[in-house]
Amino acid sequence: MEKITEKLLLEKGSPKSNKLEQIKTLNLSGLGLKTQDLPVRLLSRLRSLERWDLSGNSLQALPKSLELPALCYLDLSDNQMEDVTTLEPLSGLQELKMEDNLYITVSDNYKLMVLLPKLRIYNGKDVSTSANHLRFVYSENLRTRIIAVWEKSFSLPDPVTAEKLSALEKSFVSTARQQVKYGPSSVSDFTKWRVEVLAKEYLRSLTEPKEEPECKRSTDTKESSRVLTPTKRKQNTSVDTDRSLTPRKKLRSDLPASPAAVSPCKSGLSRKLQALTQAPAVRVSPRKASQPPVTPTAEAPRRGPRARQAKDDDDDGAQTKPNRAEPRRDADWLSSIKSCSRTPVMHPVRLKPLHVLQCHSKQDSSEDFSTQLWACAFQPLPDSTGSGGGSRLVATCGGDSLCVIDCETGLVMKKYKVPGEEFFSLSWSTVLMSRGGGASAQHCSVLAAGGKRGLVKLIHPRNNVAYGEFRASRKALSVLRFNHHQGNFLFTGSYDNKIVLWDIGGVDSQYNYKVVQLLVLDISTTPLHICLPPTSPSSHLLTACEDGLLCYDTRLGGNNNTTKRTKEMEITFPIYKKEDKDHDYHTIDGLSFLTDDIVASKNYMHCSIYLWSWSGTKAQRPGKKDRTVCAVVLAELQWANTEIPYLALNTCPGQAYVVCGDDKGRLWTYNISKLQKNSLQTGKPILPTEMLEWPTPVRKDRGQVEGPSINSVAMDPELHFLVALSDKNMVIVWKREESA
């Protein structure tokens, strides 16, 4: 056996370096090592170690105090492992090999799946679905039974002393291990172990003071100084259901004569514009008028009683709202934005139109200017964290097809058609593909898409394989979003007013996969956008709805173990105070994080974009009755004056840019890092950095195409390309011009 020294580690590690802190891969296989031969102090210096091969040794356990924060791959095959709990400090492990360890049982395998929260590949097989079932579903069933044992036979001592608690814990844990029966007898060892852990956690939750959630803290505890915000209003139930059509944009009936009034955003309807202006305002699908709606109905943004009540509430509480969210004038956040930019933008980005594509046409017809395009996103480059940089490939969806486009060449690299479908949303992610035969799993980019049929399509574009689908709802899907920190977790929002969290697992070389439902969030209306805070995507979720902006606690396991949840709080905006019977600003049709803290959002019918602080907003104490807090607004960006809803904004955090299209084909761009402090002191909305005009492409034999509504935009992380989708079946690709 060779002694583990710094010199040996440097020789066995790569890349070659004279510092242990820079080693990323280490091969210590076949050295006859035992547990006592692993020097914790020396090994703990391997702070960047990602892959470690310890196969072919004589290890019975790992040192309990060994922590390697970057380690994601560990090979312990062909050892003598017995105590798998010693692997718990290696919480970042994603792939583990334990083959040819004689004393490892099925219960030990289950323990590893619970102890290692990020474990996806075990002995070359994808176990993410089974692991999440054990972590959440199985554990929740055990927890319910443990609580029943407590409530039947135990109570806290009075007074509570350390000695009494110790005796109580011993008795409670012993009783729970004996009485809680669940699962097959072949894993009874795992069940008893898990019951012991959960019983101790439950007892601690009863005796230790609970830390008050940050969103519920307040620096002022006096009753008179609570932040009061308008209460949640009842929905207007007087909507004409005969005119409540498919989940589409809203046509206007009462606009004055103006260029906006003749925006040809619904050319697919076989009606004359004059006839449209006489009809009530409804959201309509780009279908012929003779066709019945075949997708779930959705009401227009509501007006009426809620707006009037908001005004009454403001009048009644005018003296008790000292902390209403007025724009902050300190401008400290500007410096934080500049520091977050990946590369300083010395001059405003210059973008020029490069391609205009009609790749979603019905029957590939060049005359199709009616298919609406709804969502687009750039493919992330997969890496070990699932959050790599960007590429020049962008996915777009609309009508019955999905396309993957090379922005540089303008070529459609992949196209997927599903007859009878109408795609509304898509999302990219990175999952692990197990290859078998002892080969390490590899990261691969997958694409999920859904629409009116309520089905999620799972696609591996690189291999041109649509490898699966599952039903996420019996109604249409409005939005999809992956958790970028845990690539196999997918949120789906649907027209049955729900957001569901799914674990789609990984795939193997034969594209076998399994999907498990983990969480259901009840929403008051249709969710339009889903945003996950960049620093805590597994803890909170923000959803922009037709009835406001809602926040949910999405943590799995622990004290909050319910699988069906209601909102944690609702975030309100200053524009709500201006609502009346003709103006309802509660529909949030644009939402995106600009930095880890700053959020950009847009209210329907409000000609501004809000920039507001997530941390400052959630730190407030929500009202007890309506659970509302007012957004801590940092700035307002001037935007178009239009009544066309669902024109989504997007952000490019790496370049500190906000972009939103309008109903005339223009793109409003804002370089936030170039804002000056004095621009925040005027009290007026900030003008756009640049307005990109509609490129006016020319239709063969029919002249120029007028500016359509821009439904969605996307940018790659470096802002080399900007892609805009229109409601006239056109994908517009803009390219960044390099400065001379």
Side-chain angles (χ1 to χ4, degrees):
M1 184 203 70
E2 197 166 355
K3 185 178 180 180
I4 302 298
T5 63
E6 181 174 351
K7 180 181 178 181
L8 177 67
L9 294 179
L10 292 174
E11 289 177 354
K12 297 284 187 178
S14 66
K16 294 304 179 183
S17 171
N18 59 359
K19 294 183 178 180
L20 292 179
E21 290 76 10
Q22 297 178 354
I23 298 296
K24 292 188 175 181
T25 302
L26 182 61
N27 187 346
L28 297 181
S29 62
L31 298 180
L33 298 174
K34 296 183 179 180
T35 303
Q36 59 268 28
D37 299 325
L38 298 178
V40 175
R41 187 171 181 180
L42 186 62
L43 293 172
S44 296
R45 293 171 55 188
L46 298 166
R47 309 299 291 177
S48 300
L49 185 64
E50 297 177 357
R51 300 177 66 86
W52 193 9
D53 187 351
L54 282 169
S55 61
N57 287 291
S58 301
L59 298 172
Q60 293 180 316
L62 290 185
K64 292 185 177 181
S65 56
L66 179 60
E67 295 185 6
L68 298 170
L71 190 67
C72 57
Y73 172 91
L74 177 62
D75 188 349
L76 284 171
S77 55
D78 193 17
N79 275 275
Q80 299 173 21
M81 291 293 295
E82 293 184 29
D83 186 3
V84 298
T85 62
T86 57
L87 274 67
E88 185 175 12
L90 306 178
S91 58
L93 273 183
Q94 298 182 27
E95 183 171 0
L96 174 64
K97 290 189 175 182
M98 294 281 286
E99 296 162 313
D100 298 322
N101 280 272
L102 182 61
Y103 305 112
I104 296 299
T105 65
V106 175
S107 289
D108 291 323
N109 294 337
Y110 283 12
K111 289 179 184 179
L112 286 168
M113 294 180 196
V114 172
L115 291 170
L116 302 174
K118 295 185 179 180
L119 185 66
R120 300 185 193 179
I121 304 296
Y122 184 61
N123 291 338
K125 297 181 180 179
D126 176 40
V127 296
S128 54
T129 300
S130 300
N132 283 324
H133 178 80
L134 291 172
R135 294 165 190 158
F136 307 121
V137 180
Y138 196 93
S139 295
E140 172 60 18
N141 279 298
L142 293 180
R143 189 179 289 108
T144 301
R145 288 163 170 78
I146 290 168
I147 295 174
V149 171
W150 170 268
E151 293 178 344
K152 179 181 179 181
S153 308
F154 294 90
S155 61
L156 290 175
D158 187 16
V160 176
T161 64
E163 183 179 355
K164 290 181 179 180
L165 276 181
S166 178
L168 175 63
E169 179 183 83
K170 184 177 180 180
S171 176
F172 174 49
V173 170
S174 176
T175 303
R177 282 172 58 95
Q178 293 175 6
Q179 294 186 5
V180 173
K181 307 293 183 183
Y182 186 71
S185 58
S186 59
V187 293
S188 59
D189 180 61
F190 164 75
T191 302
K192 291 181 181 297
W193 170 81
R194 189 63 177 147
V195 166
E196 180 174 345
V197 173
L198 294 174
K200 290 179 179 179
E201 288 180 357
Y202 179 69
L203 186 56
R204 282 197 299 271
S205 71
L206 298 177
T207 57
E208 295 179 359
K210 295 181 181 179
E211 183 179 353
E212 189 175 9
E214 185 178 4
C215 64
K216 296 183 180 180
R217 295 175 189 162
S218 175
T219 56
D220 190 346
T221 58
K222 295 182 179 180
E223 185 72 22
S224 60
S225 63
R226 289 181 181 172
V227 179
L228 300 179
T229 51
T231 58
K232 187 86 170 179
R233 283 73 170 184
K234 295 181 179 179
Q235 298 180 2
N236 187 351
T237 58
S238 61
V239 177
D240 184 355
T241 56
D242 291 336
R243 293 193 175 273
S244 182
L245 301 181
T246 59
R248 288 297 177 275
K249 294 187 178 180
K250 175 185 173 183
L251 291 176
R252 310 186 298 285
S253 61
D254 53 352
L255 292 182
S258 67
V262 294
S263 174
C265 62
K266 297 291 168 289
S267 58
L269 289 171
S270 58
R271 301 177 182 175
K272 295 181 179 179
L273 182 63
Q274 184 175 3
L276 284 175
T277 59
Q278 298 173 356
V282 293
R283 295 181 193 142
V284 294
S285 170
R287 298 183 181 85
K288 295 181 180 180
S290 59
Q291 287 183 279
V294 294
T295 56
T297 62
E299 299 174 356
R302 285 172 283 279
R303 304 175 179 175
R306 178 177 62 190
R308 290 192 293 272
Q309 187 174 341
K311 186 175 181 180
D312 296 339
D313 289 346
D314 288 338
D315 293 339
D316 295 340
Q319 303 302 320
T320 61
K321 301 177 184 178
N323 295 327
R324 297 288 284 182
E326 297 297 332
R328 275 172 33 184
R329 306 304 180 193
D330 53 6
D332 291 340
W333 56 278
L334 287 179
S335 58
S336 67
I337 288 182
K338 295 175 183 179
S339 65
C340 288
S341 298
R342 294 183 182 178
T343 54
V345 183
M346 302 306 295
H347 304 285
V349 173
R350 294 179 58 83
L351 293 160
K352 294 294 182 181
L354 183 63
H355 306 290
V356 178
L357 308 174
Q358 279 184 283
C359 50
H360 292 267
S361 300
K362 300 171 184 175
Q363 300 178 347
D364 297 323
S365 170
S366 60
E367 299 301 314
D368 179 5
F369 286 88
S370 63
T371 297
Q372 295 217 42
L373 310 184
W374 289 110
C376 54
F378 276 86
Q379 177 187 14
L381 296 178
D383 62 9
S384 60
T385 65
S387 57
S391 70
R392 67 186 196 183
L393 296 180
V394 66
T396 61
C397 74
D400 64 357
S401 60
L402 300 168
C403 294
V404 178
I405 302 168
D406 185 323
C407 290
E408 182 66 47
T409 63
L411 296 177
V412 178
M413 309 303 293
K414 315 286 183 182
K415 185 171 183 178
Y416 309 91
K417 292 180 71 72
V418 181
E421 179 63 278
E422 186 171 5
F423 288 107
F424 297 153
S425 186
L426 54 78
S427 185
W428 288 96
S429 187
T430 300
V431 300
L432 285 175
M433 173 179 280
S434 57
R435 295 182 288 174
S440 299
Q442 66 179 14
H443 292 86
C444 62
S445 290
V446 298
L447 184 64
K452 76 173 186 180
R453 297 172 66 189
L455 298 173
V456 174
K457 287 283 185 180
L458 300 174
I459 301 168
H460 185 198
R462 181 175 179 178
N463 288 357
N464 202 26
V465 175
Y467 67 88
E469 70 177 26
F470 66 93
R471 176 163 296 283
S473 175
R474 294 190 177 278
K475 293 193 175 181
L477 301 178
S478 55
V479 58
L480 280 70
R481 175 59 62 92
F482 276 105
N483 180 338
H484 56 274
H485 278 197
Q486 195 152 0
N488 52 310
F489 280 12
L490 172 66
F491 289 95
T492 61
S494 53
Y495 280 84
D496 57 0
N497 303 341
K498 285 181 173 59
I499 292 177
V500 181
L501 172 59
W502 306 90
D503 175 10
I504 68 165
V507 294
D508 61 19
S509 57
Q510 302 301 313
Y511 289 99
N512 296 311
Y513 71 100
K514 186 177 181 180
V515 178
V516 174
Q517 178 179 304
L518 298 178
L519 191 64
V520 177
L521 309 179
D522 289 324
I523 317 295
S524 56
T525 53
T526 303
L528 304 176
H529 298 278
I530 293 174
C531 266
L532 306 176
T535 58
S536 56
S538 300
S539 300
H540 290 89
L541 174 146
L542 295 175
T543 178
C545 305
E546 298 197 3
D547 204 24
L549 180 58
L550 308 179
C551 174
Y552 288 81
D553 182 344
T554 56
R555 288 172 292 185
L556 298 172
N559 293 330
N560 192 359
N561 50 51
T562 56
T563 56
K564 292 187 178 181
R565 301 180 191 173
T566 56
K567 68 180 180 183
E568 183 177 48
M569 63 181 177
E570 177 182 354
I571 299 171
T572 64
F573 296 91
I575 189 62
Y576 289 1
K577 293 186 289 186
K578 297 183 179 180
E579 289 184 340
D580 55 33
K581 64 180 181 179
D582 296 320
H583 298 86
D584 183 346
Y585 299 105
H586 272 63
T587 295
I588 311 296
D589 59 2
L591 182 68
S592 182
F593 272 85
L594 178 62
T595 69
D596 289 349
D597 181 55
I598 298 173
V599 187
S601 65
K602 182 169 71 71
N603 300 64
Y604 167 61
M605 295 181 67
H606 182 211
C607 52
S608 291
I609 295 171
Y610 282 125
L611 296 183
W612 51 278
S613 168
W614 161 239
S615 63
T617 301
K618 71 183 178 70
Q620 300 178 68
R621 181 189 295 274
K624 290 184 178 180
K625 293 183 179 180
D626 52 15
R627 308 296 300 166
T628 61
V629 298
C630 200
V632 178
V633 175
L634 306 174
E636 286 189 39
L637 310 178
Q638 182 175 314
W639 186 66
N641 185 5
T642 177
E643 291 192 17
I644 298 292
Y646 314 135
L647 307 182
L649 59 82
N650 211 334
T651 58
C652 181
Q655 300 295 320
Y657 256 73
V658 178
V659 178
C660 189
D662 65 14
D663 59 339
K664 300 177 183 178
R666 301 174 300 186
L667 296 175
W668 299 59
T669 70
Y670 310 85
N671 182 1
I672 306 302
S673 64
K674 293 289 113 179
L675 293 183
Q676 302 298 321
K677 291 185 178 181
N678 55 13
S679 66
L680 303 176
Q681 298 170 354
T682 63
K684 297 180 180 179
I686 299 167
L687 297 176
T689 304
E690 184 180 7
M691 184 90 71
L692 302 179
E693 296 293 337
W694 172 244
T696 59
V698 178
R699 261 167 58 176
K700 186 177 180 180
D701 302 329
R702 296 197 180 184
Q704 295 181 345
V705 179
E706 298 181 11
S709 292
I710 303 298
N711 289 344
S712 181
V713 295
M715 296 159 276
D716 70 283
E718 304 301 330
L719 196 46
H720 294 306
F721 297 99
L722 186 155
V723 174
L725 304 187
S726 77
D727 65 347
K728 282 190 172 182
N729 188 31
M730 283 179 282
V731 179
I732 306 96
V733 179
W734 300 71
K735 184 178 181 181
R736 178 175 178 173
E737 286 189 331
E738 299 299 332
S739 301

